[in-house]
C-alpha cells in the first residue's frame, strides 16, 4: 500500500494524477475507447499477434465479464493501462480463483516509464495472492523489452518458449491481513467506480437539459412567426 502512495506522490510532482482501480462491466465503454487508441505495435505486444479494431472491440466486450478481474490504470482520469488476472486451471478448495493463474498488461505508449505498469503489476499480484493463487505466469513476446524488465523487477523467473517469454512468480500464501487489505482495496474500487458513473450520468443529464432549454427557446421564438404561410398559387392550366 505504501508503494502505491509513493507512486501517486511522484506523479503528482509531475503535475499528473495517477491511480489504479478494479474495472467493472459498467466500464466497458472506457475499455472500448482504450483499446482503439492502442497503436499496432502495442496491440501485438499485448495479444502476441496483430489485432484489428474489430478484434480489439470484441476483446473489450468480453474482458469485464470473463472469469478473473481487470485493473485499470488512470492518468488524469483517463484509462491509460490495463492489468488482467485470469485462472489457468480449475479452482481448488479454499482458492477463489485457481492455484495457477496468468496475468497480462498493456500501457499506452506515451504513458510508459511513468510507474503505471509497476502500479498495475503490484495490484494484480496482490489480487492473485488474495484469491489463493500460488503460481502466477506472465507471457510476452521476446522482443517486448519493457514487459520483460517489468516482470524481472517484480521477481519473475523468465523462461524462453519459442518466440515468447514466460515469467513465473511464486506467491506466498495469503494472510488474514492480506485478505483484509485486498477487501478494503476492492471496496474502495467499487465505491470509486460508482461515484464516477454517477458523475457521468449527472453530466449527461445536465447536457440533455441544456439541449431541451435550447429547443424550448427556439419554439418560443418561432411563435412570433405568422401562424400560416401564404399559399403558393398554382398556375392555371
Amino acid at each position: 500500500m505504501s508503494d502505491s502512495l509513493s507512486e501517486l506522490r511522484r506523479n503528482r510532482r509531475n503535475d499528473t494524477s495517477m491511480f489504479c482501480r478494479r474495472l467493472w462491466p459498467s466500464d466497458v465503454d472506457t475499455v472500448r475507447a482504450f483499446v482503439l487508441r492502442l497503436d499496432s505495435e502495442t496491440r501485438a505486444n499485448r495479444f502476441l499477434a496483430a489485432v484489428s479494431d474489430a478484434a480489439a472491440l470484441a476483446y473489450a466486450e468480453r474482458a469485464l465479464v470473463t472469469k478473473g478481474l481487470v485493473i485499470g490504470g488512470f492518468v488524469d482520469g483517463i484509462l491509460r493501462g490495463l492489468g488482467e488476472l485470469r485462472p489457468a486451471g480449475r479452482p481448488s478448495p479454499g482458492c477463489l480463483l485457481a492455484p495457477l493463474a496468468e496475468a497480462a498488461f498493456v500501457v499506452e505508449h506515451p504513458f510508459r516509464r511513468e510507474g503505471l505498469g509497476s502500479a498495475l503489476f503490484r495490484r494484480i499480484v496482490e489480487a492473485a495472492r488474495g484469491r489463493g493463487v500460488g503460481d502466477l505466469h506472465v507471457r510476452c513476446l521476446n522482443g517486448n523489452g519493457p514487459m520483460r524488465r517489468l516482470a524481472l523487477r517484480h521477481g519473475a523467473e523468465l523462461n524462453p518458449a519459442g518466440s515468447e517469454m514466460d515469467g513465473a512468480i511464486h506467491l506466498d500464501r495469503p494472510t488474514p491481513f492480506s485478505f483484509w487489505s485486498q477487501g478494503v482495496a476492492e471496496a474502495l474500487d467499487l465505491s470509486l467506480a460508482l461515484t464516477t458513473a454517477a458523475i457521468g450520468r449527472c453530466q449527461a443529464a445536465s447536457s440533455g437539459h441544456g439541449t431541451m432549454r435550447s429547443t424550448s427557446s427556439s419554439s418560443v421564438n418561432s411563435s412570433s412567426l405568422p401562424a400560416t404561410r401564404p399559399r403558393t398559387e398554382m398556375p392555371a392550366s
Side-chain angles (χ1 to χ4, degrees):
M1 189 174 294
S2 60
D3 288 342
S4 298
L5 290 176
S6 64
E7 198 71 59
L8 183 56
R9 284 196 293 269
R10 186 181 74 80
N11 280 275
R12 279 179 175 168
R13 286 201 297 269
N14 291 339
D15 296 325
T16 62
S17 171
M18 184 188 78
F19 66 91
C20 296
R21 69 166 174 86
R22 182 174 178 178
L23 300 181
W24 308 89
S26 58
D27 293 303
V28 64
D29 287 341
T30 301
V31 177
R32 287 194 198 104
F34 171 76
V35 297
L36 289 178
R37 287 196 304 270
L38 297 178
D39 59 74
S40 58
E41 180 184 359
T42 302
R43 286 189 193 177
N45 282 333
R46 164 57 187 86
F47 298 106
L48 309 181
V51 172
S52 65
D53 284 353
L57 288 173
Y59 154 80
E61 295 291 339
R62 299 189 305 268
L64 303 181
V65 294
T66 303
K67 181 73 172 178
L69 61 86
V70 181
I71 302 294
F74 293 80
V75 178
D76 292 336
I78 300 175
L79 183 65
R80 299 299 187 183
L82 287 181
E84 298 178 61
L85 177 64
R86 307 294 183 193
R90 294 183 178 180
S92 61
C95 182
L96 297 178
L97 194 63
L100 179 64
E102 293 183 347
F105 302 89
V106 60
V107 174
E108 283 188 63
H109 196 277
F111 297 90
R112 295 175 189 169
R113 307 179 72 86
E114 296 292 335
L116 188 58
S118 290
L120 288 169
F121 208 111
R122 284 194 296 271
R123 281 296 306 268
I124 289 296
V125 168
E126 292 168 2
R129 185 183 178 209
R131 285 163 172 76
V133 175
D135 291 290
L136 182 65
H137 287 259
V138 182
R139 293 167 56 207
C140 68
L141 295 175
N142 285 330
N144 190 349
M147 189 66 243
R148 293 173 60 179
R149 289 190 291 271
L150 182 62
L152 286 171
R153 195 179 307 136
H154 288 83
E157 179 183 344
L158 297 182
N159 299 294
S163 62
E164 301 174 9
M165 190 69 67
D166 178 78
I169 306 173
H170 181 72
L171 304 179
D172 295 331
R173 292 179 62 84
T175 64
F177 176 77
S178 68
F179 276 127
W180 173 84
S181 178
Q182 185 64 27
V184 169
E186 294 201 11
L188 291 174
D189 287 347
L190 180 58
S191 176
L192 183 57
L194 293 174
T195 301
T196 302
I199 291 173
R201 287 194 298 270
C202 288
Q203 291 175 338
S206 176
S207 176
H209 186 57
T211 302
M212 289 179 63
R213 286 201 304 269
S214 176
T215 302
S216 175
S217 175
S218 297
S219 299
V220 171
N221 291 337
S222 65
S223 64
S224 61
L225 297 175
T228 59
R229 294 183 178 181
R231 287 191 306 169
T232 301
E233 295 295 336
M234 299 294 293
S237 55

